Amino acid sequence: MKVLNTVLVLALLSQVAGCVSKPSSAYESGWTENTNEDAYSTCGRYRWDNKFKEPAVLQRLVASGTLTSSQAQRAEIQDVRVGDPECLAYAAYGLNRTKIAFHKNAKGQVTEKTATYLCFNSQTNCSSVRVHFADGKVSSISAVSE
């Protein structure tokens, strides 16, 4: 019985230690509001609005390794998926964010961000979207009715 209790206590302690060693927020893992804004300003420059694109920006993003060539192709056609790097979303949707929401931890640090893109400067096939970012990646995408 004593051995069983010891095994149970050790198992519980290993689970607690596993949780303690993981970052408690995206902020602690290196993703911050500043890294998100850097990605926005660097990658969003590819698409100023839905009518104007600057191909040299996309080429630089691929050359620097920020995006792969297949990710750049997906940014071109606005094919953004959950799990994509935030840069791909910013290149796909550009600099025309109309609303930003911040999610903060108890210390007041931004741990997640949601950007809303409305298609007031778009071709008719544009859909308005809300993109949620956490830890440098797209964590959700939802359609928005204007």
Side-chain angles (χ1 to χ4, degrees), residues 59-119:
Q59 292 166 0
R60 281 194 299 275
L61 293 172
V62 172
S64 69
T66 305
L67 291 178
T68 66
S69 58
S70 64
Q71 289 171 333
Q73 290 170 353
R74 289 183 36 231
E76 167 69 26
I77 59 172
Q78 295 181 312
D79 177 12
V80 181
R81 304 170 193 164
V82 170
D84 284 339
E86 59 193 348
C87 180
L88 194 157
Y90 287 134
Y93 301 121
L95 298 174
N96 66 343
R97 298 182 300 192
T98 57
K99 183 178 178 185
I100 302 173
F102 303 95
H103 309 273
K104 298 181 180 185
N105 62 15
K107 296 177 184 176
Q109 300 163 320
V110 173
T111 57
E112 301 173 41
K113 186 181 271 188
T114 304
T116 302
Y117 294 90
L118 299 179
C119 296

Side-chain angles (χ1 to χ4, degrees), residues 107-132:
K107 296 177 184 176
Q109 300 163 320
V110 173
T111 57
E112 301 173 41
K113 186 181 271 188
T114 304
T116 302
Y117 294 90
L118 299 179
C119 296
F120 51 86
N121 279 335
S122 70
Q123 303 99 337
T124 54
N125 64 352
C126 177
S127 58
S128 298
V129 294
R130 183 167 294 123
V131 184
H132 185 260

